[in-house]
Amino acid sequence: MLSVASILVYTRLYIDEDFGLWGIFMALVMIGKTIACGGFHVCLMLPKEESTARDLLSISYWFNWLTIIISIVAVCALIHFFPQSVSESQHLLFIFGVPLSIFLEGKSQAIHNWLNRDMRYKEMSWTTVTQTLTTVFFSILLGWVNTDYNGMVLGTLIGQFAMLATLLYFSKLPFFIRPALDKMKVAFKEYRSFFTLGVTGNLINNSASQLPFIFFGVTFGEGLNGQFSTAQQKILSAPVNLVSAAVSPVFFKESNKAHLAQDGSLKKLVNQLNLVMWAMIIVPVIVVMMWGPEIFAFVLGEEWVRAGMYAQWLAPLMGVRFVTHPMSYLLDVKQRLSAQLAFNILLLCATLIIFHPPILGLDDFTTIKVFGVSFFSLQLMFLMYLFHLRKDDA
C-alpha cells in the first residue's frame, strides 16, 4: 500500500513527459537486469551444498560486472539510432544511470536470493521497505526541487543504493568476491541451462514486457507514453510488485522442497496458492474495469482520465500476471526452461506485431485494447500450463 500511495503523491510533481522518460528508463533497466547475473541467481536455492551455492553466487557477481559494459553500449546504440526516444538533456543521465541501475539491481537480486535460500524472509521484507521509503522520499524531494534531470529516475537510483546497502548488511556478504575459477567452472557446467535457456527466455520475456513502452513513446510521443506507463508500470504493476513478488520467494523455496519430496504436496501447495492469489486480485480487477477513468480522475486529476481508460483494458492482464508471477518458478524447479523460452518468443512476436507501427498502424487506444486482450489470453494459457506442472510426474 505504501508504494501505491506514493504514486498518488508524487505523480502530481511530474509532467507527462517525465513519466514517459521514466517509463523508457525502467524498460531498459528491466531488460538489462535479466542478464545482470547470467541467470545464476535463480538457481542459488537449488543445490543442497552451500559451497555450490556460493560458487553460483560468485558467477552471478562476475556477470554483474560484465553487464555494465554491455548496458553502456546498448544505451549509446539506442540514443544513436533512435534519438527521438530520449531527449538530449537526458542523454548523460541515461548513459550513466541505466548501467548503474542494472548493476545495482543485479547484485541485489543475487543477494536477495541468497537470503531466500536461508529463509530469512524478515530481512528480505526490510530491504523492500527500505527501498520503497527511500525512493518515495527522494522522488518527492527532487520533484519539489524541480531538478533539471528527471527526479523519478534519480529517486529510483537512490532507492536501489539503499536496497543494496541493506542487503549487504543483512547477508554479511562482501561487495567483492574472489572467485575460485575451478569450482566456478564445475558449477557453471552443472547449471548452464539457466544461462543458455533461462537468460535467453527471460531476456525475451522482459523485452516483450518493456519494449511496448519504448515503441509507444516513439510512435505516440512522451505524453501518451506517460499515460500508458503510469497505468501499466506504476498503478497496475503495483500489486504484482508488492504482494506477488513477496509471495514468490517463499513459493520458490517451498515448491522446490515439495518437488523433491514427490509426495503430492506440490499439488496441494499450487492449489492453495491459486485460490489465495485469485481471491486477492479479482475484486481490484473488476473495480478498475468498471470505474478506471473515474478513479484516475478523482485521485490524480482530470488529465489522467486517458490512463484510466487504458487501465480498464489492462486490468485483466494485471490479474493473470498477479497469479502467474509466483507460479512461474515451477519452470525453474522442474527445469522446464525450454518451454519458458518458447512461450517468451511467442510474447515477443506478439509485441512486435502489436506495437511496431508499420505492421498494424493502430491508434493509441486501439493498440492498448489489442495488447490487453491478446496478452491476457496468452498469459492465461501459460498459467494453465503452469498449473499442469503441479503434478509430481509432470
Side-chain angles (χ1 to χ4, degrees):
M1 292 300 297
L2 177 62
S3 240
V4 175
S6 69
I7 297 164
L8 307 182
V9 173
Y10 67 75
T11 291
R12 295 180 177 274
L13 302 179
Y14 301 95
I15 60 175
D16 290 354
E17 287 75 8
D18 279 340
F19 260 94
L21 285 170
W22 181 88
I24 295 175
F25 180 91
M26 290 307 299
L28 293 172
V29 171
M30 293 302 294
I31 293 172
K33 69 179 286 188
T34 305
I35 62 172
C37 296
F40 291 97
H41 66 290
V42 177
C43 53
L44 279 175
M45 288 185 290
L46 299 184
K48 295 182 180 179
E49 302 81 8
E50 183 169 328
S51 59
T52 304
R54 187 169 287 273
D55 294 333
L56 293 171
L57 181 66
S58 299
I59 298 174
S60 300
Y61 268 44
W62 185 86
F63 269 99
N64 195 219
W65 288 104
L66 180 63
T67 50
I68 294 180
I69 301 173
I70 298 174
S71 53
I72 290 176
V73 173
V75 173
C76 290
L78 174 69
I79 293 174
H80 178 74
F81 292 106
F82 302 97
Q84 71 274 26
S85 62
V86 180
S87 59
E88 187 174 350
S89 63
Q90 305 287 330
H91 282 181
L92 284 178
L93 180 63
F94 270 65
I95 291 173
F96 291 102
V98 170
L100 177 60
S101 182
I102 293 172
F103 173 80
L104 294 172
E105 282 285 340
K107 190 172 286 290
S108 295
Q109 65 187 4
I111 301 174
H112 185 273
N113 279 12
W114 183 264
L115 290 175
N116 192 23
R117 176 180 172 83
D118 295 333
M119 294 185 292
R120 298 174 64 180
Y121 304 127
K122 181 179 179 181
E123 289 86 346
M124 292 162 61
S125 299
W126 272 111
T127 61
T128 303
V129 171
T130 300
Q131 180 189 20
T132 301
L133 289 174
T134 306
T135 301
V136 170
F137 174 79
F138 281 98
S139 295
I140 294 174
L141 176 63
L142 293 170
W144 285 115
V145 172
N146 192 23
T147 56
D148 291 335
Y149 286 129
N150 191 298
M152 295 187 69
V153 172
L154 294 176
T156 299
L157 287 170
I158 297 171
Q160 289 172 328
F161 270 112
M163 175 179 63
L164 178 57
T166 308
L167 284 168
L168 288 170
Y169 172 78
F170 284 131
S171 66
K172 308 301 180 185
L173 290 172
F175 189 82
F176 301 96
I177 294 181
R178 179 176 295 178
L181 295 179
D182 53 337
K183 294 182 179 179
M184 284 177 57
K185 290 179 181 178
V186 174
F188 182 93
K189 183 177 181 180
E190 183 176 356
Y191 293 93
R192 65 179 179 271
S193 62
F194 284 87
F195 173 64
T196 55
L197 296 177
V199 169
T200 305
N202 287 326
L203 182 59
I204 294 174
N205 177 266
N206 271 335
S207 298
S209 300
Q210 304 304 324
L211 282 178
F213 303 106
I214 297 176
F215 282 130
F216 204 81
V218 172
T219 306
F220 301 110
E222 293 175 352
L224 287 179
N225 195 39
Q227 300 276 336
F228 179 30
S229 62
T230 299
Q232 177 71 355
Q233 285 185 306
K234 296 299 294 181
I235 305 297
L236 297 182
S237 292
V240 179
N241 294 336
L242 290 174
V243 180
S244 185
V247 172
S248 296
V250 181
F251 177 73
F252 190 6
K253 182 74 175 180
E254 295 302 318
S255 62
N256 187 49
K257 289 168 56 179
H259 169 62
L260 294 175
Q262 291 290 301
D263 57 358
S265 56
L266 180 60
K267 183 178 181 179
K268 296 179 181 179
L269 179 65
V270 171
N271 290 343
Q272 182 181 17
L273 175 71
N274 270 265
L275 180 63
V276 172
M277 298 299 283
W278 278 116
M280 292 176 64
I281 199 62
I282 192 66
V283 172
V285 168
I286 295 174
V287 169
V288 174
M289 289 180 66
M290 294 182 66
W291 300 291
E294 291 81 2
I295 294 173
F296 275 68
F298 176 76
V299 176
L300 301 178
E302 290 294 331
E303 65 271 24
W304 294 98
V305 169
R306 198 163 192 83
M309 295 169 63
Y310 291 165
Q312 285 182 301
W313 288 90
L314 298 172
L317 176 58
M318 170 196 69
V320 72
R321 279 180 171 172
F322 182 81
V323 181
T324 304
H325 189 285
M327 286 274 289
S328 62
Y329 282 100
L330 287 173
L331 296 170
D332 299 309
V333 169
K334 297 209 168 188
Q335 299 196 27
R336 298 295 182 88
L337 302 180
S338 57
Q340 179 191 45
L341 177 60
F343 176 71
N344 289 332
I345 291 174
L346 179 61
L347 288 182
L348 181 60
C349 292
T351 299
L352 295 175
I353 292 173
I354 295 170
F355 284 93
H356 192 47
I359 298 179
L360 296 181
L362 306 174
D363 61 58
D364 67 297
F365 194 55
T366 306
T367 300
I368 296 300
K369 287 182 179 180
V370 174
F371 169 62
V373 173
S374 59
F375 268 60
F376 167 77
S377 302
L378 291 173
Q379 289 285 351
L380 190 60
M381 289 188 292
F382 183 53
L383 180 60
M384 294 172 62
Y385 172 72
L386 293 174
F387 196 69
H388 169 73
L389 293 180
R390 76 192 190 283
K391 302 176 182 177
D392 287 335
D393 56 349

